Amino acid sequence: MNICVLGAGYVGLTTTAVLAELGHDVICIDKDPDKINQLRQNHVPIYEPGLAELIKNNSNRITFCTDSQKGIIKSDAIIIAVGTPTDQDGKPDLTYVLSVIEELSASIFSYKTIITKSTVPPGTNEMIEQLLIKKGVKREYFDIVSNPEFLREGSAVYDMFHSDKTVIGLKKHDLRSLPIMREIYNGLEAPFIVTSLTGAELIKYANNAFLATKISFINEMSRICDAYGVDIEEISKGIGTDPRIGSQFLQAGLGYGGSCFPKDLQALYYAAVSKNVTAQILQAVQKVNETQIDLYLKKLQSVMPDLRDKKIAVLGISFKPNTDDTRYSRAVALIEKLISQGCRLSAFDPIARLPEHVLEKANQAETLEESIDQADCLILATEWEDFIHLDWKHVKEKMKGNIIVDGRNCLEPEKLKALGFQYIGVGRG
Amino acid sequence: MKIIAVVGTGYVGLVTGVCLADIGHRVTCVDIDERKVETMKQGVSPIYEPGLDDLMKKNIENGRLAFTTSHQEAFADAEVIYIAVGTPQQEDGSANLQFIEQAAKDIAENIMRDGVVVVTKSTVPVGTNDKVKRWILEHLQHDVQFDVVSNPEFLREGSAIYDTFHGDRIVIGAENDRAANIVEELNKPFGIPIFKTDIRSAEMIKYASNAFLATKISFINEIANISEKLGANIEDVAYGMGLDSRIGSQFLRAGIGYGGSCFPKDTKALVQIAGDVEHKFDLLEAVINVNNKQQARLVELALNRFTSLRGKKAAMLGLAFKPNTDDMREAASIVMAEQLIKEGATVVAYDPIAIENAKKFIGDKIIYVETIESALEQADVAFIVTEWDQIKKLPLDTYAKLMKEPIVFDGRNCYDLEEVKKHSIEYYSIGRPGIKN
Ligand SMILES: NC(=O)c1ccc[n+]([C@@H]2O[C@H](COP(=O)([O-])OP(=O)(O)OC[C@H]3O[C@@H](n4cnc5c(N)ncnc54)[C@H](O)[C@@H]3O)[C@@H](O)[C@H]2O)c1
Ligand SMILES: NC(=O)c1ccc[n+]([C@@H]2O[C@H](COP(=O)([O-])OP(=O)(O)OC[C@H]3O[C@@H](n4cnc5c(N)ncnc54)[C@H](O)[C@@H]3O)[C@@H](O)[C@H]2O)c1
């Protein structure tokens, strides 16, 4: 099938590569000419394991370009994968989706299946349909499908091949789109869940909101464990064996970040409020997450009351391991907090770069050695595999101080204490 | 084989005693309630629990299971003593430990041999086992050594026997290896994974797991309320989420909330446990609030539909807090009965098992009937409260046949909407579009 993917970000590029691998001809459009140029020169602008190879192996079936009209006209199915950030007060910002609608309405002259992969608030797909009609697109020329994406950055390619579900939201009397969707995903094993447009939109939000709830739950438990001298890791193990709970996402730490959880929670909360439903749980989940950094700061200050001019090494910048994405990264938020306390920051990450506005006030170390050299304190903010297995004896020798803040509870306190470190985790007895 | 005593023969104590006897131990169960003990001696269970009667009889007959009201008799040669008395909640939500303290004193006064292991099965706040140790030490009559072990119970009423033999894990919190190993050894025949930890962690694990499960229920109910307003179907949403292995499909059933003797009390107790160390457990408080509102949700929906329920005959199908149990503690039906009476409705309620218990909680303000049919006969409105099989499987045309007008509020989403559409019925459920045929 000829497919056009709008947006060459994490989702758009992964979709492009996977659909090409499944045998489709894919035109991937981004309005950022710089990105498209890089892609044309075989350079993938984001870090995602396996993605560059997959694109390379299928280059005969992939075209990158900036001209959306060309892509749309040539294709049977259009996949919307542009960003949907939130504005200042947590309301979803649909600017990019609206610009896509503009482009679509100028380019549809024969039947297309329009598929929304971007995470959009409940009701958006209905709105897209109405807008297209209002802008003069003939109703018989398109059907709209909500097909939210569940991949995780850092394992995006793997996730798309091994997804636990393909969610398909359809208009009530749409009989045409389902077979088309089956053809597009032919070769993937994930079961189809077919529901309404709004149902599909909600599944995406509810999914992320629940995982965030799990994280905030265990983080809140860890605060209580702290006070009672109980090890939160024992609690996670003890409750995780219950299949109704499950052991994943029960890791206490600095909280969730990234381009999805924070914004999806806000958006869902906003959708509820706009219908006069007070979503108390969502509210509490967000509050816990927001205050988690302060908790660590307080812990740090209890052993190092004056943070001014102290050199702090922060290991990890990305919002989680195996990605270069720093959107809503807790590590970055923590770094900003520490800067405001007058610390000297030296951050290191194997892949991710500090955002511009932080780079003015903090140092991005090019090597781990540089970051820890003469540091008064080391904070592990993102649990990259390399950091977990550091030669801690060596680290101790390089540092000036002996404080380790383990923001992900991923190190072994006993081992570190034996080496003379002062270990700070959360809820670790 | 161990010689075991179990203190308290409620849902937990009796099931534990019977199952321990069944795997080969010699068990004496002791309770202060004489009538209960008399009944049990006859091989009759005072509580409703599938499979319990048979297993009781079998083990009384083979001489491994006995009942008594005498602590002395039960403890005289016991090697292991289980505490399974109630830990109800007090006004402020915290756990009332008076029965635990009494049990500890009873133990202290009656143990005679060295090395007795005292195992707390009751759900108790962090630090309680330390207190149990102290209470026993304070009242100890003979100069003997003993250990305390925390071994929280995870069985569910309605499938308590099954759960005891097929649980996900047995949590053993001990202060030394000797005690931990004794409890591990005696549980081995169950063939369930054993997780050994320290005492405080074990105590906390119990609260954390119930709090998390309650969170899951309130979470899906909150999403259901959003779905309803947006015209989506919560069943689809829950199904889609549930396929994610990090979430899991269980406990994602939208409805009128959780009840029973555990979730409400354990969540409140954990809020209190957190409060004791100056932590406001925001998330769990939200979970509790959502649940309180949810229990009132169905009547609220009915009031939107009818404006007034004065003089209406309302049928309540199901009273127990969940199917397959006669337990009425914190059941949604209690809240609903209050609401309906206040609105001036006449309530006629059916439950296959829980009516006797319900009378203790709701009293004679409502009428109790033995069949679904007599509840629905000429009713103006029906509420599905508990998803008993016989209620879930009731053919949809029964409502139209028997009721004055078939208007049904289903608090447990028992019916498939496509099915409902085929019948002449007005049907409202939780987090799904209403249907008016
Ligand atoms: N990143 C994830 O892990 C993830 C997972 C699941 C779902 N999602 C959702 O998928 C969507 C995309 O996320 P992302 O992380 O890939 O975003 P991104 O910001 O990495 O990429 C979006 C891309 O779209 C381009 N774009 C914007 N307007 C365009 C237009 N009119 N035409 C063509 N290109 C345009 C931008 O230049 C950018 O390259 C979002 O709604 C997000 O919530 C993301
Ligand atoms: N019911 C459940 O589903 C469940 C599940 C897991 C854990 N738990 C926990 O287990 C504990 C017991 O719960 P339950 O539902 O079985 O309680 P219950 O109220 O049904 O039974 C308690 C029994 O203990 C007896 N008793 C009280 N003091 C005594 C004493 N000093 N000596 C002897 N007997 C005494 C009472 O007469 C009563 O029969 C509670 O802490 C509860 O939170 C219950």
Side-chain angles (χ1 to χ4, degrees):
Chain A
M1 200 186 287
N2 288 311
I3 300 171
C4 173
V5 175
L6 298 173
Y10 290 88
V11 171
L13 275 179
T14 310
T15 306
T16 299
V18 170
L19 292 181
E21 173 76 13
L22 292 175
H24 302 292
D25 290 307
V26 186
I27 305 175
C28 177
I29 313 280
D30 204 291
K31 58 179 185 184
D32 179 348
D34 196 41
K35 238 183 205 176
I36 292 300
N37 267 335
Q38 288 189 43
L39 284 161
R40 283 185 166 158
Q41 284 155 27
N42 290 323
H43 179 256
V44 177
I46 54 168
Y47 172 79
E48 198 56 64
L51 182 60
E53 278 144 282
L54 202 63
I55 291 177
K56 198 165 146 231
N57 292 346
N58 290 288
S59 54
N60 58 329
R61 279 190 290 270
I62 301 176
T63 315
F64 291 107
C65 85
T66 52
D67 181 355
S68 58
Q69 185 153 38
K70 206 163 105 197
I72 295 166
I73 290 177
K74 271 193 167 172
S75 304
D76 311 304
I78 323 292
I79 297 180
I80 304 174
V82 298
T84 48
T86 40
D87 67 11
Q88 292 297 350
D89 42 299
K91 217 169 98 203
D93 171 359
L94 292 177
T95 317
Y96 302 114
V97 173
L98 291 174
S99 76
V100 162
I101 297 174
E102 229 29 80
E103 290 158 28
L104 283 171
S105 59
S107 319
I108 297 183
F109 307 107
S110 63
Y111 180 78
K112 313 278 179 202
T113 307
I114 298 170
I115 302 157
T116 309
K117 242 192 193 310
S118 298
T119 306
V120 292
T124 305
N125 277 290
E126 296 277 357
M127 178 202 81
I128 295 178
E129 185 200 24
Q130 292 310 315
L131 271 178
L132 285 175
I133 294 170
K134 213 166 112 194
K135 290 187 184 293
V137 181
K138 286 204 183 117
R139 187 63 196 82
E140 61 270 27
Y141 276 179
F142 75 94
D143 277 305
I144 183 131
V145 176
S146 167
N147 172 219
E149 180 50 54
F150 294 89
L151 66 77
R152 295 162 298 180
E153 286 175 23
S155 55
V157 173
Y158 177 90
D159 289 346
M160 210 174 265
F161 279 117
H162 301 92
S163 177
D164 51 47
K165 61 196 167 232
T166 301
V167 174
I168 307 284
L170 302 174
K171 281 291 281 190
K172 213 170 197 168
H173 300 292
D174 177 3
L175 298 173
R176 203 164 168 181
S177 301
L178 193 57
I180 296 174
M181 295 307 293
R182 291 213 190 268
E183 194 183 328
I184 292 177
Y185 288 123
N186 190 17
L188 298 184
E189 278 174 10
F192 268 44
I193 297 180
V194 182
T195 178
S196 62
L197 288 175
T198 315
E201 291 161 340
L202 259 183
I203 289 177
K204 173 66 195 173
Y205 281 114
N207 209 92
N208 277 353
F210 187 77
L211 294 174
T213 303
K214 240 176 144 172
I215 296 173
S216 279
F217 176 84
I218 207 69
N219 279 337
E220 204 155 9
M221 278 307 302
S222 74
R223 298 183 192 186
I224 301 163
C225 283
D226 254 339
Y228 281 95
V230 170
D231 185 351
I232 186 69
E233 304 302 319
E234 294 287 296
I235 307 301
S236 298
K237 269 189 241 157
I239 70 175
T241 43
D242 184 335
R244 301 166 299 176
I245 299 177
S247 61
Q248 290 169 296
F249 274 68
L250 287 181
Q251 184 65 44
L254 278 164
Y256 59 80
S259 65
C260 289
F261 283 13
K263 106 172 147 54
D264 291 354
L265 258 101
Q266 282 183 343
L268 181 55
Y269 180 70
Y270 195 85
V273 170
S274 67
K275 294 280 179 186
N276 291 323
V277 181
T278 40
Q280 302 187 47
I281 295 182
L282 299 182
Q283 203 171 11
V285 166
Q286 298 186 72
K287 186 174 159 199
V288 173
N289 201 57
E290 278 154 23
T291 51
Q292 201 65 7
I293 285 184
D294 297 328
L295 180 81
Y296 278 90
L297 207 64
K298 232 191 241 157
K299 280 172 175 267
L300 177 58
Q301 276 168 330
S302 72
V303 294
M304 200 193 264
D306 187 7
L307 293 172
R308 255 171 310 157
D309 294 327
K310 295 285 190 303
K311 177 174 177 183
I312 307 216
V314 174
L315 303 191
I317 296 171
S318 57
F319 84 91
K320 66 171 186 183
N322 303 322
T323 179
D324 61 349
D325 199 342
T326 59
R327 288 179 278 184
Y328 289 93
S329 165
R330 298 278 86 194
V332 174
L334 177 70
I335 289 170
E336 294 191 77
K337 264 259 157 75
L338 289 167
I339 294 171
S340 71
Q341 300 282 326
C343 302
R344 288 183 294 129
L345 260 292
S346 182
F348 174 73
D349 191 286
I351 305 271
R353 310 288 306 170
L354 281 173
E356 284 304 324
H357 70 280
V358 184
L359 211 43
E360 291 160 15
K361 295 170 230 144
N363 166 46
Q364 166 126 25
E366 292 311 322
T367 62
L368 183 110
E369 297 289 314
E370 180 193 337
S371 162
I372 59 176
D373 188 40
Q374 290 298 308
D376 295 285
C377 162
L378 180 154
I379 302 180
L380 195 151
T382 312
E383 68 279 31
W384 284 87
E385 197 65 29
D386 293 356
F387 298 156
I388 299 174
H389 306 293
L390 283 178
D391 176 355
W392 290 104
K393 193 156 166 270
H394 172 72
V395 173
K396 177 84 186 15
E397 280 157 13
K398 293 276 291 188
M399 282 175 64
K400 188 162 89 193
N402 70 340
I403 299 171
I404 287 204
V405 179
D406 180 358
R408 297 294 170 188
N409 274 15
C410 62
L411 304 174
E412 292 171 58
E414 294 314 319
K415 225 162 137 187
L416 293 172
K417 281 179 200 161
L419 288 170
F421 282 109
Q422 208 173 338
Y423 175 89
I424 300 177
V426 65
R428 300 205 78 172
Chain B
M1 197 275 293
K2 286 266 175 248
I3 303 171
I4 296 174
V6 178
V7 192
T9 56
Y11 290 87
V12 171
L14 183 54
V15 170
T16 301
V18 169
C19 292
L20 286 172
D22 202 59
I23 58 170
H25 301 292
R26 222 184 75 205
V27 182
T28 309
C29 295
V30 54
D31 204 292
I32 43 175
D33 186 331
E34 278 172 31
R35 277 216 346 248
K36 237 184 194 173
V37 171
E38 269 322 302
T39 321
M40 291 186 294
K41 277 184 174 165
Q42 315 298 318
V44 178
S45 161
I47 53 167
Y48 172 78
E49 198 56 65
L52 183 57
D53 273 329
D54 289 347
L55 220 53
M56 259 176 89
K57 281 208 189 77
K58 173 181 151 200
N59 286 290
I60 292 174
E61 275 160 24
N62 66 25
R64 285 202 294 260
L65 182 64
F67 298 93
T68 176
T69 52
S70 155
H71 292 97
Q72 191 194 357
E73 190 185 320
F75 299 156
D77 27 68
E79 297 163 284
V80 180
I81 302 175
Y82 280 86
I83 300 180
V85 298
T87 47
Q89 75 191 45
Q90 317 190 77
E91 283 291 297
D92 64 352
S94 67
N96 178 348
L97 297 179
Q98 102 189 51
F99 301 109
I100 297 277
E101 185 171 358
Q102 185 55 47
K105 282 186 195 153
D106 294 337
I107 291 170
E109 284 159 11
N110 292 294
I111 51 173
M112 318 244 265
R113 59 195 287 171
D114 248 335
V116 170
V117 182
V118 177
V119 183
T120 308
K121 271 231 161 259
S122 301
T123 304
V124 292
V126 181
T128 304
N129 275 283
D130 297 341
K131 286 186 190 160
V132 169
K133 175 144 208 182
R134 227 181 43 231
W135 287 327
I136 298 180
L137 277 174
E138 276 166 19
H139 296 90
L140 207 55
Q141 294 294 312
H142 304 272
D143 182 23
V144 292
Q145 298 290 322
F146 69 96
D147 285 308
V148 294
V149 168
S150 164
N151 171 218
E153 180 53 60
F154 296 97
L155 64 75
R156 296 163 296 181
E157 286 174 23
S159 58
I161 302 278
Y162 178 89
D163 291 343
T164 306
F165 284 98
H166 302 90
D168 307 309
R169 65 348 196 154
I170 292 173
V171 174
I172 298 175
E175 52 187 345
N176 61 49
D177 288 348
R178 190 196 82 95
N181 290 341
I182 289 177
V183 180
E184 176 176 20
E185 229 13 80
L186 78 87
N187 274 292
K188 270 210 175 130
F190 287 124
I192 293 169
I194 286 175
F195 178 60
K196 286 199 267 186
T197 182
D198 57 288
I199 289 183
R200 288 176 164 242
S201 296
E203 292 168 331
M204 192 67 109
I205 284 169
K206 176 63 195 173
Y207 282 106
S209 41
N210 274 355
F212 186 80
L213 293 172
T215 302
K216 217 169 163 182
I217 296 174
S218 278
F219 177 88
I220 203 66
N221 283 334
E222 188 161 295
I223 300 293
N225 294 338
I226 300 172
S227 294
E228 195 178 294
K229 285 277 168 60
L230 294 167
N233 183 338
I234 189 63
E235 300 298 319
D236 287 353
V237 177
Y239 179 63
M241 287 172 64
L243 283 177
D244 187 327
S245 61
R246 301 164 299 175
I247 300 177
S249 58
Q250 291 171 295
F251 271 66
L252 284 182
R253 299 216 41 135
I256 43 178
Y258 58 79
S261 68
C262 289
F263 285 2
K265 122 174 134 49
D266 292 351
T267 46
K268 281 178 224 161
L270 186 51
V271 165
Q272 194 58 43
I273 289 169
D276 288 344
V277 289
E278 257 92 71
H279 179 75
K280 190 169 166 326
F281 205 147
D282 287 316
L283 180 52
L284 203 50
E285 281 180 20
V287 167
I288 294 168
N289 282 338
V290 169
N291 198 60
N292 290 342
K293 284 203 185 141
Q294 209 63 19
Q295 292 198 327
R297 181 88 189 117
L298 219 47
V299 176
E300 216 177 270
L301 285 176
L303 283 171
N304 289 342
R305 163 66 180 77
F306 285 96
T307 56
S308 165
L309 291 167
R310 188 153 301 281
K312 297 259 191 289
K313 175 181 171 185
M316 259 175 50
L317 304 186
L319 290 164
F321 88 89
K322 68 171 186 184
N324 303 322
T325 181
D326 60 352
D327 200 338
M328 277 294 295
R329 291 178 273 189
E330 308 262 355
S333 60
I334 304 171
V335 176
M336 290 176 60
E338 296 280 337
Q339 280 176 298
L340 290 169
I341 299 293
K342 200 172 131 241
E343 295 299 329
T346 309
V347 182
V348 183
Y350 160 81
D351 191 285
I353 303 276
I355 287 180
E356 279 319 303
N357 273 343
K359 287 180 181 161
K360 294 181 212 145
F361 287 83
I362 306 176
D364 55 8
K365 287 176 283 191
I366 67 172
I367 300 158
Y368 303 91
V369 293
E370 298 293 326
T371 64
I372 300 182
E373 286 71 22
S374 37
L376 289 178
E377 190 72 54
Q378 287 299 307
D380 298 281
V381 53
F383 295 95
I384 300 178
V385 185
T386 316
E387 66 278 31
W388 285 94
D389 254 346
Q390 44 271 67
I391 296 172
K392 256 188 346 203
K393 296 211 173 105
L394 189 71
L396 275 157
D397 53 13
T398 320
Y399 296 100
K401 266 189 221 145
L402 297 174
M403 292 174 69
K404 216 180 273 167
E405 251 189 286
I407 306 175
V408 177
F409 292 85
D410 180 356
R412 301 295 177 188
N413 291 5
C414 293
Y415 294 99
D416 186 67
L417 290 189
E418 292 310 312
E419 263 316 296
V420 174
K421 283 180 191 156
K422 294 182 198 148
H423 294 83
S424 70
I425 185 174
E426 200 177 322
Y427 178 85
Y428 303 90
S429 51
I430 303 291
R432 307 192 293 181
I435 291 175
K436 208 168 171 174
N437 292 322

